Structures are given as structure tokens and as C-alpha cells.
């Protein structure tokens, strides 16, 4: 069943790598479960550029962000809530954009979050944005670089994750 697939995926080893296709399947399972809760108030749409779904990435990156769309951006929306996930090729990365048409985020809060994301010494448990902060810190650790996310208010909140095609390695970085 969808629920057992979702649970199996969620309880796997947290530092395991998966393909983007696997992450998107997990999001599809998660949104199916949410459709029971929200009915047809919120729809989800994906647009994936061909050839990108096999990129390897950390597990449990997309679901926490989609969960935030439901719980924060779209929670008070009574109809026509939309989550749009697009996957496109960037220069040396794959860009995964998750955009909802909800309430967005106050600019000062958005800037404060970006500051937290870029603080190498931040203690995740001290903050209320644990899910999002955890995702960003895990991506930064995985790719060994800071520039893994961009937040923008665009008729709701648009979160773009950068999944790099090459991971930095060795002691020269």
C-alpha cells in the first residue's frame, strides 16, 4: 500500500543516497496521503526535464519541503492550492524548484532563514524550522558547498534546491 511504501522509505537509513526518481516517488506517496486530509483543496503538478531523474542525491530532501507547503504555505487555503515541482538542468547541477501559491514568507523571515542556512555553526535543534534547516544542512554536507538552496517570494514561496552533478572530494576544497 501507499502508506507502507511511505513508512518504509521514511525509516530507511537517513544518510543513504537515492535517485531523484525515488525521492519524487516518495513525494507522490506523501501527497496521496495528504489528498485524503485536504481533499481537492490542493493539487500537485510536476514537470521533469527528461534524463534528470536518475541523479543521485541524499534521501528525504523533497518531502519535508512539500510538507512545509501543506502545513505553512497552503494550510489556510480553502481551494485552488497548488504545489508545482519542476526539475531542470542548470550549469553544473539539477535545479529542483518547489513552488506553492500560498501565503509566502515575510521577507525578513526569508532573509533570516538564508542567514541560518549559511551559518556553518548553527545548531539545528535551537530553531523551529528544523525540517528545512536539516534538509539544507544535509545537502551542504553531501555536496561540500554552501550554495544548495534559494528562497524567493513569487506568488507564494519558491524554494529551489541545487543538486550538483559532481560532489567535491579530497582535501583540497
Amino acid at each position: 500500500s501507499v502508506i507502507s511504501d511511505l513508512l518504509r522509505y521514511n525509516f530507511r537509513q537517513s544518510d543513504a543516497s537515492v535517485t531523484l526518481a525515488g525521492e519524487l516517488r516518495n513525494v507522490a506517496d506523501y501527497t496521496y496521503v495528504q489528498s485524503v486530509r485536504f481533499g481537492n483543496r490542493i493539487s500537485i503538478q510536476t514537470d521533469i526535464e527528461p534524463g534528470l531523474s536518475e541523479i543521485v542525491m541524499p534521501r528525504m530532501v523533497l518531502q519535508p519541503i512539500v510538507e512545509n507547503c501543506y502545513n505553512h504555505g497552503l494550510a489556510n487555503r480553502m481551494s485552488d492550492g497548488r504545489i508545482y515541482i519542476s526539475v531542470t538542468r542548470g550549469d553544473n547541477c539539477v535545479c529542483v524548484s518547489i513552488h506553492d501559491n500560498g501565503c509566502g514568507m515575510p521577507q525578513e523571515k526569508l532573509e533570516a532563514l538564508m542567514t541560518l542556512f549559511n551559518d556553518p555553526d548553527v545548531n539545528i535543534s535551537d530553531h523551529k524550522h528544523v525540517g528545512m534547516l536539516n534538509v539544507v544542512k544535509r545537502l551542504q554536507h553531501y555536496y561540500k558547498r554552501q550554495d544548495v538552496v534559494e528562497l524567493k517570494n513569487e506568488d507564494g514561496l519558491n524554494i529551489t534546491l541545487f543538486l550538483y552533478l559532481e560532489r567535491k572530494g579530497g582535501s583540497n576544497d
Side-chain angles (χ1 to χ4, degrees):
S1 79
V2 170
I3 303 243
S4 57
D5 289 346
L6 191 61
L7 289 171
R8 254 193 304 280
Y9 191 88
N10 284 317
F11 289 117
R12 258 193 229 144
Q13 188 177 353
S14 64
D15 60 355
S17 296
V18 296
T19 62
L20 177 57
E23 273 288 281
L24 290 167
R25 261 191 312 278
N26 184 56
V27 166
D29 289 345
Y30 175 79
T31 56
Y32 173 79
V33 171
Q34 290 302 316
S35 71
V36 174
R37 176 178 162 202
F38 287 95
N40 58 5
R41 287 180 16 208
I42 298 173
S43 64
I44 188 154
Q45 182 184 354
T46 55
D47 183 12
I48 300 154
E49 199 175 296
L52 301 182
S53 61
E54 293 308 308
I55 185 173
V56 175
M57 63 183 289
R59 192 180 70 75
M60 282 303 288
V61 166
L62 302 184
Q63 183 198 316
I65 295 173
V66 171
E67 193 172 334
N68 280 349
C69 294
Y70 279 100
N71 294 335
H72 300 294
L74 299 170
N76 297 326
R77 191 139 189 154
M78 297 317 291
S79 65
D80 296 326
R82 283 188 300 284
I83 300 170
Y84 178 68
I85 300 174
S86 74
V87 179
T88 56
R89 189 178 303 278
D91 286 341
N92 58 341
C93 65
V94 172
C95 304
V96 180
S97 207
I98 301 164
H99 183 215
D100 68 58
N101 66 337
C103 58
M105 184 182 285
Q107 192 60 32
E108 61 277 4
K109 190 173 174 183
L110 195 144
E111 288 168 11
L113 255 183
M114 286 304 292
T115 300
L116 277 180
F117 295 160
N118 292 316
D119 179 353
D121 302 318
V122 71
N123 183 346
I124 292 176
S125 61
D126 289 346
H127 300 280
K128 67 177 192 169
H129 300 286
V130 172
M132 185 70 189
L133 197 49
N134 183 26
V135 163
V136 171
K137 290 299 172 187
R138 286 190 308 110
L139 284 171
Q140 288 172 337
H141 177 75
Y142 186 82
Y143 294 112
K144 296 181 177 36
R145 56 191 301 160
Q146 292 292 105
D147 54 340
V148 297
V149 66
E150 183 179 81
L151 303 178
K152 281 189 204 158
N153 279 309
E154 296 175 334
D155 299 320
L157 187 61
N158 189 10
I159 298 170
T160 302
L161 303 175
F162 304 106
L163 309 177
Y164 291 92
L165 300 174
E166 291 185 21
R167 290 167 67 184
K168 292 181 179 179
S171 56
N172 296 345
D173 46 307

Short mmCIF file of all heavy atoms in Angstrom, two decimals, residues 74-138:
data_model
loop_
_atom_site.label_atom_id
_atom_site.label_comp_id
_atom_site.label_asym_id
_atom_site.label_seq_id
_atom_site.Cartn_x
_atom_site.Cartn_y
_atom_site.Cartn_z
N LEU A 74 0.03 26.60 2.49
CA LEU A 74 -1.32 26.35 1.97
C LEU A 74 -2.34 25.94 3.04
O LEU A 74 -3.49 25.68 2.71
CB LEU A 74 -1.26 25.27 0.89
CG LEU A 74 -0.41 25.61 -0.33
CD1 LEU A 74 -0.22 24.38 -1.21
CD2 LEU A 74 -1.02 26.75 -1.13
N ALA A 75 -1.92 25.90 4.29
CA ALA A 75 -2.79 25.37 5.35
C ALA A 75 -4.13 26.10 5.44
O ALA A 75 -5.16 25.48 5.69
CB ALA A 75 -2.07 25.44 6.69
N ASN A 76 -4.15 27.41 5.22
CA ASN A 76 -5.39 28.18 5.37
C ASN A 76 -6.14 28.37 4.05
O ASN A 76 -7.16 29.04 4.01
CB ASN A 76 -5.09 29.56 5.98
CG ASN A 76 -4.50 29.40 7.37
OD1 ASN A 76 -4.87 28.48 8.10
ND2 ASN A 76 -3.58 30.28 7.73
N ARG A 77 -5.63 27.78 3.01
CA ARG A 77 -6.25 27.94 1.69
C ARG A 77 -7.44 26.99 1.57
O ARG A 77 -7.29 25.78 1.73
CB ARG A 77 -5.21 27.64 0.63
CG ARG A 77 -5.68 28.03 -0.72
CD ARG A 77 -4.55 28.67 -1.47
NE ARG A 77 -5.14 29.22 -2.67
CZ ARG A 77 -4.66 30.22 -3.32
NH1 ARG A 77 -3.58 30.79 -2.91
NH2 ARG A 77 -5.24 30.65 -4.40
N MET A 78 -8.60 27.52 1.26
CA MET A 78 -9.80 26.68 1.20
C MET A 78 -10.01 26.03 -0.17
O MET A 78 -10.74 25.06 -0.30
CB MET A 78 -11.04 27.49 1.58
CG MET A 78 -11.00 28.02 3.03
SD MET A 78 -10.41 26.81 4.25
CE MET A 78 -11.74 25.64 4.27
N SER A 79 -9.37 26.58 -1.21
CA SER A 79 -9.49 25.99 -2.54
C SER A 79 -8.34 26.47 -3.41
O SER A 79 -7.65 27.44 -3.09
CB SER A 79 -10.82 26.38 -3.19
OG SER A 79 -10.86 27.77 -3.40
N ASP A 80 -8.15 25.80 -4.53
CA ASP A 80 -7.16 26.18 -5.55
C ASP A 80 -5.73 26.27 -5.04
O ASP A 80 -4.92 27.03 -5.58
CB ASP A 80 -7.54 27.51 -6.23
CG ASP A 80 -8.84 27.40 -7.00
OD1 ASP A 80 -9.09 26.31 -7.56
OD2 ASP A 80 -9.60 28.38 -7.03
N GLY A 81 -5.39 25.52 -4.01
CA GLY A 81 -3.99 25.46 -3.58
C GLY A 81 -3.21 24.61 -4.56
O GLY A 81 -3.68 23.59 -5.03
N ARG A 82 -2.02 25.10 -4.91
CA ARG A 82 -1.20 24.38 -5.88
C ARG A 82 0.24 24.27 -5.41
O ARG A 82 0.81 25.24 -4.90
CB ARG A 82 -1.24 25.07 -7.24
CG ARG A 82 -2.53 24.81 -8.00
CD ARG A 82 -2.48 25.34 -9.42
NE ARG A 82 -2.25 26.77 -9.50
CZ ARG A 82 -3.17 27.70 -9.25
NH1 ARG A 82 -4.38 27.35 -8.90
NH2 ARG A 82 -2.89 28.99 -9.37
N ILE A 83 0.81 23.10 -5.62
CA ILE A 83 2.24 22.87 -5.42
C ILE A 83 2.77 22.43 -6.78
O ILE A 83 2.24 21.51 -7.40
CB ILE A 83 2.51 21.79 -4.36
CG1 ILE A 83 1.92 22.21 -3.01
CG2 ILE A 83 4.01 21.53 -4.24
CD1 ILE A 83 1.93 21.10 -1.96
N TYR A 84 3.80 23.12 -7.23
CA TYR A 84 4.37 22.85 -8.55
C TYR A 84 5.84 22.48 -8.35
O TYR A 84 6.60 23.25 -7.76
CB TYR A 84 4.22 24.09 -9.43
CG TYR A 84 4.81 23.96 -10.80
CD1 TYR A 84 4.24 23.10 -11.73
CD2 TYR A 84 5.92 24.70 -11.17
CE1 TYR A 84 4.78 22.98 -13.00
CE2 TYR A 84 6.46 24.59 -12.44
CZ TYR A 84 5.89 23.73 -13.34
OH TYR A 84 6.42 23.60 -14.60
N ILE A 85 6.21 21.29 -8.80
CA ILE A 85 7.61 20.84 -8.71
C ILE A 85 8.17 20.77 -10.12
O ILE A 85 7.64 20.06 -10.97
CB ILE A 85 7.72 19.45 -8.04
CG1 ILE A 85 7.13 19.50 -6.63
CG2 ILE A 85 9.18 18.99 -8.01
CD1 ILE A 85 7.06 18.14 -5.94
N SER A 86 9.24 21.53 -10.35
CA SER A 86 9.88 21.45 -11.67
C SER A 86 11.34 21.05 -11.49
O SER A 86 11.99 21.43 -10.51
CB SER A 86 9.78 22.78 -12.42
OG SER A 86 10.65 23.73 -11.88
N VAL A 87 11.81 20.24 -12.43
CA VAL A 87 13.18 19.77 -12.41
C VAL A 87 13.81 20.14 -13.74
O VAL A 87 13.32 19.71 -14.80
CB VAL A 87 13.24 18.23 -12.18
CG1 VAL A 87 14.68 17.74 -12.19
CG2 VAL A 87 12.54 17.85 -10.89
N THR A 88 14.85 20.98 -13.68
CA THR A 88 15.50 21.45 -14.90
C THR A 88 17.02 21.31 -14.76
O THR A 88 17.54 21.22 -13.65
CB THR A 88 15.16 22.93 -15.18
OG1 THR A 88 15.51 23.71 -14.04
CG2 THR A 88 13.68 23.11 -15.50
N ARG A 89 17.69 21.34 -15.88
CA ARG A 89 19.15 21.25 -15.89
C ARG A 89 19.74 22.64 -15.72
O ARG A 89 19.35 23.57 -16.41
CB ARG A 89 19.61 20.64 -17.22
CG ARG A 89 21.08 20.30 -17.26
CD ARG A 89 21.45 19.66 -18.59
NE ARG A 89 20.68 18.46 -18.89
CZ ARG A 89 20.95 17.24 -18.42
NH1 ARG A 89 21.96 17.07 -17.60
NH2 ARG A 89 20.21 16.21 -18.75
N GLY A 90 20.68 22.77 -14.77
CA GLY A 90 21.43 24.01 -14.60
C GLY A 90 22.80 23.85 -15.20
O GLY A 90 23.06 22.90 -15.94
N ASP A 91 23.72 24.77 -14.89
CA ASP A 91 25.08 24.70 -15.44
C ASP A 91 25.80 23.42 -15.03
O ASP A 91 26.23 22.65 -15.86
CB ASP A 91 25.90 25.91 -14.99
CG ASP A 91 25.47 27.17 -15.73
OD1 ASP A 91 24.83 27.04 -16.79
OD2 ASP A 91 25.76 28.27 -15.23
N ASN A 92 25.95 23.21 -13.74
CA ASN A 92 26.65 22.02 -13.25
C ASN A 92 25.79 21.30 -12.22
O ASN A 92 26.30 20.65 -11.31
CB ASN A 92 28.00 22.41 -12.64
CG ASN A 92 27.84 23.40 -11.50
OD1 ASN A 92 26.80 24.06 -11.38
ND2 ASN A 92 28.85 23.52 -10.66
N CYS A 93 24.48 21.47 -12.37
CA CYS A 93 23.58 20.92 -11.36
C CYS A 93 22.20 20.65 -11.97
O CYS A 93 21.92 21.01 -13.10
CB CYS A 93 23.44 21.88 -10.18
SG CYS A 93 22.66 23.45 -10.61
N VAL A 94 21.38 20.02 -11.17
CA VAL A 94 19.96 19.86 -11.48
C VAL A 94 19.22 20.75 -10.50
O VAL A 94 19.49 20.73 -9.29
CB VAL A 94 19.53 18.37 -11.33
CG1 VAL A 94 18.03 18.23 -11.45
CG2 VAL A 94 20.25 17.52 -12.38
N CYS A 95 18.32 21.57 -11.00
CA CYS A 95 17.56 22.50 -10.17
C CYS A 95 16.18 21.92 -9.92
O CYS A 95 15.44 21.64 -10.86
CB CYS A 95 17.42 23.85 -10.87
SG CYS A 95 18.98 24.58 -11.34
N VAL A 96 15.86 21.73 -8.64
CA VAL A 96 14.54 21.24 -8.26
C VAL A 96 13.82 22.39 -7.57
O VAL A 96 14.23 22.84 -6.52
CB VAL A 96 14.63 20.03 -7.30
CG1 VAL A 96 13.23 19.56 -6.92
CG2 VAL A 96 15.43 18.90 -7.93
N SER A 97 12.78 22.86 -8.22
CA SER A 97 12.03 24.01 -7.71
C SER A 97 10.69 23.55 -7.17
O SER A 97 9.96 22.83 -7.87
CB SER A 97 11.83 24.98 -8.88
OG SER A 97 11.69 26.27 -8.41
N ILE A 98 10.40 23.92 -5.94
CA ILE A 98 9.12 23.57 -5.31
C ILE A 98 8.43 24.88 -4.98
O ILE A 98 8.93 25.67 -4.18
CB ILE A 98 9.35 22.72 -4.04
CG1 ILE A 98 10.10 21.44 -4.43
CG2 ILE A 98 8.01 22.40 -3.37
CD1 ILE A 98 10.70 20.71 -3.27
N HIS A 99 7.31 25.11 -5.65
CA HIS A 99 6.63 26.40 -5.57
C HIS A 99 5.18 26.18 -5.17
O HIS A 99 4.50 25.35 -5.76
CB HIS A 99 6.71 27.06 -6.95
CG HIS A 99 6.13 28.42 -7.01
ND1 HIS A 99 5.48 28.90 -8.12
CD2 HIS A 99 6.09 29.43 -6.11
CE1 HIS A 99 5.07 30.14 -7.89
NE2 HIS A 99 5.43 30.48 -6.68
N ASP A 100 4.75 26.90 -4.13
CA ASP A 100 3.33 26.83 -3.80
C ASP A 100 2.70 28.20 -4.01
O ASP A 100 3.40 29.21 -4.04
CB ASP A 100 3.10 26.32 -2.36
CG ASP A 100 3.58 27.29 -1.29
OD1 ASP A 100 3.11 28.44 -1.26
OD2 ASP A 100 4.42 26.89 -0.46
N ASN A 101 1.40 28.24 -4.18
CA ASN A 101 0.72 29.52 -4.40
C ASN A 101 0.05 29.98 -3.10
O ASN A 101 -1.02 30.56 -3.11
CB ASN A 101 -0.29 29.42 -5.55
CG ASN A 101 -1.46 28.50 -5.24
OD1 ASN A 101 -1.35 27.61 -4.40
ND2 ASN A 101 -2.55 28.69 -5.93
N GLY A 102 0.73 29.70 -2.00
CA GLY A 102 0.20 30.06 -0.69
C GLY A 102 0.59 31.46 -0.25
O GLY A 102 0.80 32.35 -1.08
N CYS A 103 0.71 31.62 1.06
CA CYS A 103 0.89 32.95 1.66
C CYS A 103 2.30 33.50 1.55
O CYS A 103 2.54 34.66 1.89
CB CYS A 103 0.44 32.91 3.12
SG CYS A 103 1.33 31.69 4.11
N GLY A 104 3.26 32.69 1.09
CA GLY A 104 4.64 33.17 1.02
C GLY A 104 5.24 33.29 2.40
O GLY A 104 4.73 32.76 3.37
N MET A 105 6.34 34.03 2.48
CA MET A 105 7.05 34.20 3.75
C MET A 105 7.48 35.65 3.87
O MET A 105 7.98 36.22 2.90
CB MET A 105 8.29 33.27 3.74
CG MET A 105 9.06 33.27 5.04
SD MET A 105 10.54 32.20 4.94
CE MET A 105 9.80 30.57 5.04
N PRO A 106 7.26 36.27 5.03
CA PRO A 106 7.73 37.65 5.19
C PRO A 106 9.21 37.77 4.81
O PRO A 106 10.00 36.88 5.16
CB PRO A 106 7.51 37.94 6.67
CG PRO A 106 6.46 36.96 7.11
CD PRO A 106 6.66 35.74 6.25
N GLN A 107 9.57 38.84 4.12
CA GLN A 107 10.93 39.00 3.60
C GLN A 107 12.00 38.90 4.69
O GLN A 107 13.02 38.27 4.52
CB GLN A 107 11.05 40.33 2.85
CG GLN A 107 12.33 40.48 2.03
CD GLN A 107 12.50 39.42 0.94
OE1 GLN A 107 11.53 38.93 0.36
NE2 GLN A 107 13.74 39.05 0.67
N GLU A 108 11.72 39.50 5.87
CA GLU A 108 12.73 39.45 6.94
C GLU A 108 12.93 38.03 7.46
O GLU A 108 14.03 37.62 7.81
CB GLU A 108 12.40 40.43 8.09
CG GLU A 108 11.10 40.18 8.81
CD GLU A 108 9.86 40.76 8.13
OE1 GLU A 108 9.97 41.32 7.00
OE2 GLU A 108 8.77 40.66 8.72
N LYS A 109 11.86 37.24 7.47
CA LYS A 109 11.96 35.84 7.90
C LYS A 109 12.74 35.03 6.86
O LYS A 109 13.57 34.19 7.20
CB LYS A 109 10.55 35.27 8.08
CG LYS A 109 10.47 33.94 8.74
CD LYS A 109 9.01 33.58 9.01
CE LYS A 109 8.87 32.18 9.55
NZ LYS A 109 7.47 31.82 9.74
N LEU A 110 12.47 35.32 5.59
CA LEU A 110 13.17 34.65 4.49
C LEU A 110 14.67 34.94 4.58
O LEU A 110 15.50 34.03 4.49
CB LEU A 110 12.59 35.16 3.17
CG LEU A 110 12.90 34.38 1.92
CD1 LEU A 110 11.69 34.39 1.00
CD2 LEU A 110 14.07 34.98 1.21
N GLU A 111 15.03 36.20 4.82
CA GLU A 111 16.44 36.58 4.91
C GLU A 111 17.08 35.95 6.15
O GLU A 111 18.24 35.52 6.10
CB GLU A 111 16.58 38.09 4.92
CG GLU A 111 16.29 38.68 3.55
CD GLU A 111 16.12 40.20 3.54
OE1 GLU A 111 16.44 40.86 4.57
OE2 GLU A 111 15.68 40.72 2.51
N ALA A 112 16.34 35.88 7.26
CA ALA A 112 16.86 35.27 8.48
C ALA A 112 17.14 33.78 8.25
O ALA A 112 18.16 33.24 8.72
CB ALA A 112 15.89 35.46 9.64
N LEU A 113 16.25 33.12 7.52
CA LEU A 113 16.45 31.70 7.19
C LEU A 113 17.69 31.51 6.34
O LEU A 113 18.50 30.61 6.59
CB LEU A 113 15.23 31.15 6.45
CG LEU A 113 14.28 30.26 7.22
CD1 LEU A 113 13.18 29.75 6.31
CD2 LEU A 113 14.95 29.13 7.93
N MET A 114 17.87 32.35 5.32
CA MET A 114 19.04 32.24 4.45
C MET A 114 20.32 32.44 5.27
O MET A 114 21.32 31.78 5.03
CB MET A 114 18.97 33.25 3.29
CG MET A 114 17.97 32.86 2.20
SD MET A 114 18.22 31.22 1.46
CE MET A 114 19.76 31.46 0.58
N THR A 115 20.29 33.34 6.25
CA THR A 115 21.44 33.55 7.13
C THR A 115 21.73 32.29 7.93
O THR A 115 22.89 31.87 8.06
CB THR A 115 21.18 34.75 8.08
OG1 THR A 115 20.96 35.91 7.27
CG2 THR A 115 22.36 34.99 9.00
N LEU A 116 20.66 31.66 8.46
CA LEU A 116 20.84 30.40 9.19
C LEU A 116 21.44 29.31 8.29
O LEU A 116 22.33 28.57 8.70
CB LEU A 116 19.49 29.89 9.71
CG LEU A 116 18.95 30.44 11.01
CD1 LEU A 116 17.61 29.80 11.32
CD2 LEU A 116 19.92 30.22 12.15
N PHE A 117 20.93 29.23 7.07
CA PHE A 117 21.42 28.21 6.14
C PHE A 117 22.92 28.37 5.90
O PHE A 117 23.62 27.39 5.71
CB PHE A 117 20.70 28.29 4.78
CG PHE A 117 19.23 27.98 4.83
CD1 PHE A 117 18.41 28.40 3.81
CD2 PHE A 117 18.66 27.27 5.88
CE1 PHE A 117 17.05 28.11 3.83
CE2 PHE A 117 17.31 26.97 5.91
CZ PHE A 117 16.50 27.40 4.87
N ASN A 118 23.38 29.62 5.89
CA ASN A 118 24.78 29.87 5.57
C ASN A 118 25.69 29.90 6.79
O ASN A 118 26.88 30.13 6.66
CB ASN A 118 24.90 31.16 4.76
CG ASN A 118 24.29 31.00 3.39
OD1 ASN A 118 24.51 29.99 2.72
ND2 ASN A 118 23.49 31.96 2.96
N ASP A 119 25.13 29.67 7.97
CA ASP A 119 25.92 29.64 9.20
C ASP A 119 26.43 28.22 9.42
O ASP A 119 25.64 27.32 9.74
CB ASP A 119 25.06 30.10 10.38
CG ASP A 119 25.81 30.07 11.70
OD1 ASP A 119 26.97 29.58 11.74
OD2 ASP A 119 25.24 30.53 12.70
N PRO A 120 27.76 27.99 9.28
CA PRO A 120 28.27 26.63 9.42
C PRO A 120 28.16 26.09 10.84
O PRO A 120 28.20 24.88 11.06
CB PRO A 120 29.74 26.74 8.98
CG PRO A 120 30.07 28.18 9.09
CD PRO A 120 28.80 28.96 8.95
N ASP A 121 28.01 26.98 11.84
CA ASP A 121 27.99 26.55 13.23
C ASP A 121 26.60 26.48 13.83
O ASP A 121 26.45 26.31 15.03
CB ASP A 121 28.85 27.50 14.08
CG ASP A 121 30.28 27.55 13.58
OD1 ASP A 121 30.82 26.49 13.23
OD2 ASP A 121 30.84 28.66 13.50
N VAL A 122 25.56 26.63 13.00
CA VAL A 122 24.20 26.66 13.53
C VAL A 122 23.85 25.32 14.19
O VAL A 122 24.24 24.26 13.70
CB VAL A 122 23.17 27.01 12.42
CG1 VAL A 122 23.02 25.89 11.43
CG2 VAL A 122 21.83 27.36 13.01
N ASN A 123 23.16 25.38 15.31
CA ASN A 123 22.67 24.18 15.98
C ASN A 123 21.21 24.00 15.57
O ASN A 123 20.35 24.78 15.96
CB ASN A 123 22.81 24.33 17.50
CG ASN A 123 22.37 23.06 18.22
OD1 ASN A 123 21.73 22.18 17.65
ND2 ASN A 123 22.71 22.98 19.48
N ILE A 124 20.95 22.99 14.76
CA ILE A 124 19.62 22.79 14.18
C ILE A 124 18.53 22.73 15.25
O ILE A 124 17.46 23.30 15.11
CB ILE A 124 19.60 21.52 13.30
CG1 ILE A 124 20.47 21.76 12.07
CG2 ILE A 124 18.18 21.15 12.89
CD1 ILE A 124 20.62 20.57 11.17
N SER A 125 18.81 22.07 16.36
CA SER A 125 17.77 21.86 17.37
C SER A 125 17.36 23.15 18.09
O SER A 125 16.35 23.18 18.78
CB SER A 125 18.21 20.80 18.38
OG SER A 125 19.39 21.23 19.03
N ASP A 126 18.12 24.23 17.91
CA ASP A 126 17.77 25.51 18.54
C ASP A 126 16.71 26.28 17.76
O ASP A 126 16.29 27.35 18.19
CB ASP A 126 19.01 26.43 18.63
CG ASP A 126 20.01 25.93 19.67
OD1 ASP A 126 19.64 25.06 20.48
OD2 ASP A 126 21.14 26.42 19.66
N HIS A 127 16.31 25.79 16.61
CA HIS A 127 15.45 26.57 15.73
C HIS A 127 14.15 25.84 15.42
O HIS A 127 14.10 24.62 15.41
CB HIS A 127 16.21 26.91 14.44
CG HIS A 127 17.43 27.71 14.72
ND1 HIS A 127 17.40 29.06 14.94
CD2 HIS A 127 18.72 27.34 14.87
CE1 HIS A 127 18.63 29.48 15.20
NE2 HIS A 127 19.45 28.47 15.15
N LYS A 128 13.11 26.63 15.10
CA LYS A 128 11.82 25.99 14.84
C LYS A 128 11.69 25.49 13.40
O LYS A 128 10.82 24.71 13.11
CB LYS A 128 10.66 26.92 15.21
CG LYS A 128 10.52 28.15 14.35
CD LYS A 128 9.31 28.94 14.78
CE LYS A 128 8.99 30.01 13.76
NZ LYS A 128 7.73 30.63 13.96
N HIS A 129 12.55 25.94 12.51
CA HIS A 129 12.50 25.48 11.11
C HIS A 129 13.40 24.25 10.95
O HIS A 129 14.21 24.18 10.04
CB HIS A 129 12.96 26.59 10.17
CG HIS A 129 12.12 27.81 10.24
ND1 HIS A 129 10.86 27.86 9.70
CD2 HIS A 129 12.33 29.00 10.83
CE1 HIS A 129 10.34 29.05 9.93
NE2 HIS A 129 11.21 29.76 10.63
N VAL A 130 13.24 23.30 11.85
CA VAL A 130 14.13 22.15 11.90
C VAL A 130 14.13 21.36 10.60
O VAL A 130 15.18 21.01 10.08
CB VAL A 130 13.75 21.22 13.09
CG1 VAL A 130 14.53 19.93 13.05
CG2 VAL A 130 14.00 21.94 14.39
N GLY A 131 12.95 21.08 10.03
CA GLY A 131 12.88 20.27 8.81
C GLY A 131 13.64 20.90 7.66
O GLY A 131 14.48 20.26 7.02
N MET A 132 13.37 22.16 7.40
CA MET A 132 14.01 22.87 6.29
C MET A 132 15.51 23.03 6.55
O MET A 132 16.33 22.84 5.65
CB MET A 132 13.32 24.24 6.15
CG MET A 132 13.78 25.03 4.99
SD MET A 132 13.22 24.29 3.46
CE MET A 132 14.15 25.28 2.33
N LEU A 133 15.86 23.39 7.77
CA LEU A 133 17.27 23.58 8.13
C LEU A 133 18.03 22.26 8.00
O LEU A 133 19.14 22.21 7.48
CB LEU A 133 17.34 24.11 9.56
CG LEU A 133 18.63 24.75 10.03
CD1 LEU A 133 19.16 25.78 9.06
CD2 LEU A 133 18.43 25.38 11.41
N ASN A 134 17.40 21.17 8.43
CA ASN A 134 18.01 19.85 8.33
C ASN A 134 18.26 19.48 6.86
O ASN A 134 19.33 18.99 6.51
CB ASN A 134 17.11 18.82 9.01
CG ASN A 134 17.72 17.44 9.01
OD1 ASN A 134 18.91 17.26 8.95
ND2 ASN A 134 16.86 16.44 9.07
N VAL A 135 17.29 19.73 6.01
CA VAL A 135 17.44 19.44 4.58
C VAL A 135 18.63 20.21 4.00
O VAL A 135 19.49 19.64 3.33
CB VAL A 135 16.14 19.81 3.80
CG1 VAL A 135 16.40 19.92 2.31
CG2 VAL A 135 15.05 18.78 4.08
N VAL A 136 18.68 21.51 4.28
CA VAL A 136 19.73 22.35 3.71
C VAL A 136 21.11 21.92 4.24
O VAL A 136 22.06 21.78 3.47
CB VAL A 136 19.46 23.84 3.99
CG1 VAL A 136 20.66 24.70 3.60
CG2 VAL A 136 18.22 24.29 3.23
N LYS A 137 21.21 21.68 5.54
CA LYS A 137 22.50 21.28 6.12
C LYS A 137 22.96 19.93 5.57
O LYS A 137 24.15 19.72 5.31
CB LYS A 137 22.42 21.25 7.65
CG LYS A 137 22.30 22.64 8.26
CD LYS A 137 23.51 23.47 7.91
CE LYS A 137 23.41 24.91 8.29
NZ LYS A 137 24.53 25.71 7.78
N ARG A 138 22.02 19.01 5.37
CA ARG A 138 22.40 17.71 4.80
C ARG A 138 22.87 17.85 3.36
O ARG A 138 23.84 17.21 2.94
CB ARG A 138 21.26 16.70 4.91
CG ARG A 138 21.09 16.22 6.35
CD ARG A 138 20.13 15.05 6.54
NE ARG A 138 18.84 15.25 5.94
CZ ARG A 138 18.38 14.60 4.86
NH1 ARG A 138 19.10 13.69 4.28
NH2 ARG A 138 17.18 14.85 4.39
#
